[in-house]
Amino acid sequence: MSATKAALKAAKAALDAHKYEEAIEQAQRALAADPQNYHANVFLGLGLDKQDKYYESAKAYNAAIRIKNNDALAWQGLITLYEKQAGKYIDEYQEAAVHLAEIFMEVDDKHRCQSVVDKFTGFVKKHGTRTQCRRALDILLPTSSLYDYLEGRIPHPASTYIKIAEVVLAEEKEKINKEIGERRTRLGAKIGQVTAEVKREVLEGSDLENLYKNVIDWTPDDEIRRQYEEKLLQRAYDTLVVLPTSRKAQKRQQVENLARGLVILKHPFALAWRTTLEWKDSECLEDWDAGILREYVEFFPEDGLCKVLRAYMESEISPFPLQQNREKAEGAGEEVSQLMTAEDRVLMMIEGVQENPPSALAHRLMGDFYLYLNEYESAAEIARKGKNILTIEAQISGLSMEHNLDAINIILATALVQYQSPRNHPEARALFDGILRRKPANTSALVGIGLILEDEMDYTGAIDFLSRALKRNTDLKVKAEAAWCKALNGDYQAGLKELESCLPALKESDMRTRELKSQILYRIGECIWNLDTSKIARKDRKGAYEWYLSSLQTNMTFAPAYTSLGIYYADYARDRKRARKCFQKAFELSASEIEAAERLAKAFADQGEWDLVEAVAQRVVESGKVRPAPGSKRKGISWPFAALGVVQLNKQDYAKSIVSFQSALRTSPDNYHCWVGLGESYHNSGRYIAATKAFEHAQAVETSTEYDYGESSWFSEYMLANVKRELGDYEEAIAGYEQVLSCKPFEFGVSIALLQSLVDDAWRNVELGFFGRAAKSTTRAFEVAKAIADKRPNAFNLWKAVGDACSIFSWVQAYMKDLPVHHVRALLQDDADTQTYQLLADIDGIGIDALQSLSISKDGATLSQCLNAAILSHKRAIHTSANDLHAQAVAWYNLGWAEHRGHICLGVDDKILPKKKASRYLKASVQCFKRAIELEAGNSEFWNSLGVVTTQINPKVAQHALVRSLFLNSKSARVWANLGTFYLLQKDYQLANDAFARAQSADPTYAHAWLGQGLLAHSLGEAKEAQNLYAHAFEIADSASHITKRQYASSTFDQLVSAPTSSNNVTSVLQPLFALQQLRFQASVEAPYQHLSSLFSERVGSYSDAISSLQSVCSTVETKYEVCESTSALLRFVQAKADLARAQLAGGDYTSAVESAETTLDLSAEETEAHDPTVHRKCRLSAHLTAGLAHYYNGLMDPAIEMFRIALEETDGDPDIVCLLAQVLWAKGGEEERNVAREQLFDCVEKYPGHINAITLLGVIAMLDHDQATIDAVTADLQALRTQDAVDAQQQRTVGEVLAAIASLGSTESDRGSAEISEATTAVMLAPSQPHGWNQLARLSEEAYPADMALLTAIKAVPPRGLLDAEDLCEAYAGTNRVGDAQRAVLVAPWKVHGWEALSPEQN
């Protein structure tokens, strides 16, 4: 014990001497002796504290406290230790400070107790967080153990609660913002939903409301108390907003109690008053406390609801008594006027409704006031907004607001009954029905449904509902409405009696009463009008007329009375002027007066005042009366839409007219005129398919009804024909026009349309290649034109069509004989001024003399007569269009193209004219296009035409014109192609290529753009590319284009000549042959193209056509040679004769072939410098071979051999000619000739070791001679050659047949079959895709498979996939020994015996 005391003394002395290590050591020694020594622990803690060993020091102090809890020394040391560590141990510090203060309280040391508390709160305020500060303030609250002891020495609780509330509010705001920021970034998060969730979580867990209550309870200051009562209400309201509906009831009760308390105290807090007013759920406005309403107006004079309440409470319809003694507005310094004017009330209410925050009560009052003013549109609009606001308020409060919602729905439904009736009746009926399900006796709903049923002409139902309403409400208006329904239901007597009974009770005290009286007087008049419908009764001015006047005298703005007076004046008094004034007044007052509107519209239409018709119809449509409600008995009204459609159609506003006519047809689907109007609108807007359906429907309506549409019935047929014409269905269009003309023979417009359709049909047939049809349509057009000229000879379209019809024959010159020259001449001479045709006669030479020369010759019309007639017709068109600048410009344009066509067809040969020298037609064409441009300089087609005709005579003008045309219309493919052609002629290939590319881009289907690109490629030496472009141009071009046919045919022939492997492909020859044949129908084909046609005919085996064409070519060239005796003509004649000889040989006319060949040889005996050596050699070779073969077939061997020898000499031993000569020599039969044949073949094989024909021929001769050595050599050569790629299918077949024959001859009787099969299988191995090996194998074997394979390969080898001919295909079909295939063999090649043999019964 003494050691412990000594250690404590030593420790105390060391601490005083600041020897903290020694003190710690002594304290530990004392604790070692006595672990429960309080002072030793305190000294140890103090020493460690001085050594900054805070953790060990705190352990020592806590050990001391556990030993002696009520001693202040250890607590003071621990507090000192915490203070040194700033805010690290504030929570522990608070616990220590409270304990220390309680120790001082126990010893009644208030000063030291307060000092500890003040020191702690100051420390926390300086070093602690917001939460720690709040927790520190808890020791100052009445709930603290120190409050009673230190009361008066520490701050008032209200102040402390306020500080805590401020801290809590700041913490909540920070937490809300933080959580929203974190959660809003989650996937699918919505900011509104996230905000509500976060606020709900924070507000529900908050203690702020209790803090506000404590402030209210403890504060002695009434102003602060009211301030925190406001905050408490706002806090409760904010919590209520975010709570789910299931948990709102308790919080809502709290909010209502708080708000009611503030209202009772008359404290001007807006939320409390608005909550009290807005949350009151009542159907009647009388249930609101008038005193509270007036106090609200007094407290919040600038609030929107206040303005509405003030104006409403002073209005005539207010259920609240007026406050007579108005006090001065607080702080305003001026007295408020006793009563506002009606205008001021409306303006104040509108201003109040528009202000924020929105008020459902304000909207309800405003809607009720609008109904009073009969402003139904505004009432409906304000009621809808009020419903939305009330729905939001109900969601916030959790109240159903059923009564308030019913009241607003009644306002909305009542407004919808009158606003745009009957459009909104379904919605209004649904609202009324919903109210009646809950409140079956609701008077407003019963009356509303009664009015709806009355408008829907369900008068029985209307009477029932109105009678039910009268049981609860004896309103005169309802009684009068019920009486009127009885009258409308047919009981005019009862209705009249009840209406008359209403009159004594009416006093004209206000405007509303006068309106009702005026209505009743009018309805009495209507009952009288319908009770006696005789003309005398209705004309009686003491009858209904008097009641109508009385109605207007009571109310000058009652529209139905004006309508009835207008009908009286129009139908009975015969006073149209007064009637029109009455109708105008009625319609001005009310757009619902449909009868007055219709009569007005008809009157305006009769006078041609279409703007007024549109205004009347548009107002009727906007009134909503035109379409009945669903389920209504009332019929819809279509005439306003039809009138609008007609007006819009006249204004060329086709999109709107389509909508209008469609709307009319929805109401009246059998309205013939609306269908016609709809079809015409579709037609004018380019929607031809829809127009067709509309006109067809109009015709169906016309035929299905008995109504006589009079002269308008033909119009649908006429318009349908117009649509067919626009669609290019000219045959149906022509039939339609003729149908109309059968009943309206003198209708000029239809006749012109028929004429133009015939001409358009002819052009279309020219484009499609139906030239005979084109000529037929054109001939019919002249007949129609003659009929028109008899009635209207000065019509511009007539002469344009005649000119076009004449021009068509220049495009189908083969049918020139069909041109009715006498009809054309009669047409041109009919009512004509001779000077008309002298226009430009000094330039083109076509005038009155040309007209006189139009006569029929024995050979029919000529091309010059055709084109002269076209030019004269267009001149006549210019004369007839003198008063129309646009038509005149078009007429000059048409004349220009007619002159240009004359230049193309009748102009002098370009080689005779000097360069840049124009023909008379071309000069006239230039003048025409210039004149057209002078009249209409903005037309791109005029400039394009000028550029075309001046391309060769003046390139600068041409370029300017074409560029100008593109400036006016840069998307024209035709102009771009023309510009490209111009650059091509100027040899500017880059610009030409760019222009053609632009043309292709503008219109990829424009053939001449591709043709120009082909010409450009040809000029640059790219023959393959050019041929592809020509082929594409030919494929997409119409049949009217000459140049595409010429270029395609010539390029195709060049390709065939340069590619001999495809020379036997007939399909590659057919298209160019057809093109040239079409060209022969269209124009006088030049000799080179006729010659080319004969070459194509020869290749397809049409030898008669080839002979005919070549004879014509020879005749033409011979005639030309006789005129000019040019070397070129002679060369053409020689070449044509050589080709003619070859065609005659192929056709079997051997004698003529010899003559033609000898003529060729005689004329080409001497080669001149003008001769092309290659062409000259080929001509002579062809003539020699032709003559040799012709002699051979005629049985003249010696001349044949002579010809072949000469050919052989001229060709320097050509192997093919050697083969021909050998065959002829062998055929002659002499031993010497056969030896010569052998020698020639051996020499040929030696000189041309790869020539298969020579080797196979030598092999055949060797087999006939039984020359085994030669046979072996031939076999070896053929075996080597047949594996080479250069051997074609035909040569493979020949080689296979020769080798098979060799194998057969070289084998014994028993081995012969196997040897032949071996050769056949070898042929199949070498060429499995060719049918000859399979055919050979099928003949040798008894199996069916080789024959099937032969047929399969043959089908795949025919054109266009291969070169197999019909005879080979026939053989393949016949080889299967099936009846069906045998029939196909006969169908493919009926001249071959294989098919017929396969069909024979013996074979089957």
Side-chain angles (χ1 to χ4, degrees), residues 110 116 208 302 311 435 1047 1149 1280 1377 1389:
K110 291 185 178 182
V116 170
L208 192 61
E302 299 302 322
I435 294 171
Q1047 293 302 126
D1149 189 357
N1377 291 325

Side-chain angles (χ1 to χ4, degrees), residues 755-1020:
L755 175 60
Q756 291 175 334
S757 297
L758 287 167
V759 175
D760 292 342
D761 184 41
W763 280 118
R764 172 60 65 85
N765 285 323
V766 170
E767 293 173 354
L768 296 177
F770 301 131
F771 304 129
R773 294 182 187 178
K776 184 177 179 181
S777 295
T778 308
T779 305
R780 173 80 176 100
F782 286 121
E783 297 174 2
V784 176
K786 185 65 174 66
I788 297 173
D790 293 339
K791 303 295 181 183
R792 295 276 294 273
N794 293 322
F796 164 72
N797 288 339
L798 165 65
W799 297 109
K800 176 188 178 299
V802 171
D804 289 343
C806 293
S807 297
I808 287 172
F809 279 100
S810 71
W811 292 89
V812 288
Q813 296 176 20
Y815 296 91
M816 191 69 68
K817 63 181 183 301
D818 295 337
L819 175 65
V821 179
H822 59 286
H823 279 189
V824 177
R825 180 175 178 178
L827 268 173
L828 293 172
Q829 289 178 338
D830 187 11
D831 194 27
D833 183 0
T834 56
Q835 294 302 314
T836 301
Y837 302 118
Q838 291 301 116
L839 188 66
L840 298 180
D842 56 333
I843 300 176
D844 61 9
I846 300 174
I848 193 65
D849 295 336
L851 176 60
Q852 299 300 329
S853 67
L854 292 178
S855 60
I856 302 178
S857 63
K858 61 179 181 179
D859 297 329
T862 63
L863 181 58
S864 61
Q865 287 178 328
C866 163
L867 292 172
N868 289 347
I871 292 171
L872 291 172
S873 298
H874 288 301
K875 289 183 178 180
R876 181 73 177 270
I878 293 174
H879 175 72
T880 57
S881 61
N883 297 325
D884 187 342
L885 287 180
H886 175 69
Q888 194 174 11
V890 173
W892 280 105
Y893 172 76
N894 293 333
L895 177 59
W897 279 120
E899 297 279 6
H900 184 262
R901 185 63 182 164
H903 166 71
I904 296 297
C905 297
L906 303 175
V908 184
D909 194 340
D910 292 341
K911 293 184 179 179
I912 298 177
L913 283 175
K915 191 175 182 181
K916 296 188 179 181
K917 180 74 173 179
S919 68
R920 55 192 175 94
Y921 297 104
L922 193 59
K923 291 179 181 178
S925 178
V926 172
Q927 294 302 317
C928 291
F929 290 133
K930 285 183 177 180
R931 180 59 179 156
I933 290 171
E934 289 174 2
L935 294 172
E936 192 174 328
N939 193 311
S940 64
E941 291 297 327
F942 294 175
W943 287 100
N944 172 56
S945 305
L946 181 62
V948 170
V949 299
T950 57
T951 296
Q952 290 186 329
I953 58 177
N954 194 333
K956 291 184 179 180
V957 172
Q959 184 180 22
H960 170 75
L962 292 171
V963 171
R964 180 66 179 173
S965 176
L966 287 172
F967 173 77
L968 296 171
N969 181 15
S970 62
K971 295 182 180 179
S972 175
R974 181 185 294 104
V975 183
W976 280 111
N978 291 338
L979 183 63
T981 306
F982 170 81
Y983 287 133
L984 185 61
L985 293 173
Q986 302 301 316
K987 293 183 171 48
D988 193 337
Y989 299 133
Q990 182 59 47
L991 289 178
N993 182 65
D994 294 342
F996 287 132
R998 287 293 298 270
Q1000 294 163 8
S1001 176
D1003 184 5
T1005 63
Y1006 185 59
H1008 286 187
W1010 299 95
L1011 179 68
Q1013 199 86 27
L1015 292 171
L1016 178 61
H1018 186 79
S1019 300
L1020 297 175

Side-chain angles (χ1 to χ4, degrees), residues 154-226:
I154 58 177
H156 192 274
S159 174
T160 305
Y161 278 122
I162 289 173
K163 290 181 181 179
I164 294 174
E166 290 174 352
V167 171
V168 171
L169 185 61
E171 286 180 346
E172 289 180 358
K173 286 182 179 179
E174 182 178 343
K175 183 177 181 181
I176 288 172
N177 293 334
K178 180 181 178 182
E179 288 295 323
I180 291 174
E182 291 177 355
R183 298 186 189 182
R184 67 182 298 180
T185 58
R186 297 174 183 174
L187 290 176
K190 298 179 180 179
I191 184 63
Q193 183 179 356
V194 168
T195 302
E197 290 176 355
V198 171
K199 284 187 175 181
R200 181 166 59 249
E201 293 173 5
V202 173
L203 296 182
E204 280 189 305
S206 172
D207 194 39
L208 192 61
E209 288 188 22
N210 291 327
L211 293 173
Y212 286 157
K213 289 178 182 178
N214 287 325
V215 174
I216 294 169
D217 293 340
W218 283 95
T219 182
D221 190 339
D222 288 341
E223 183 176 351
I224 294 176
R225 183 177 293 107
R226 298 292 171 263

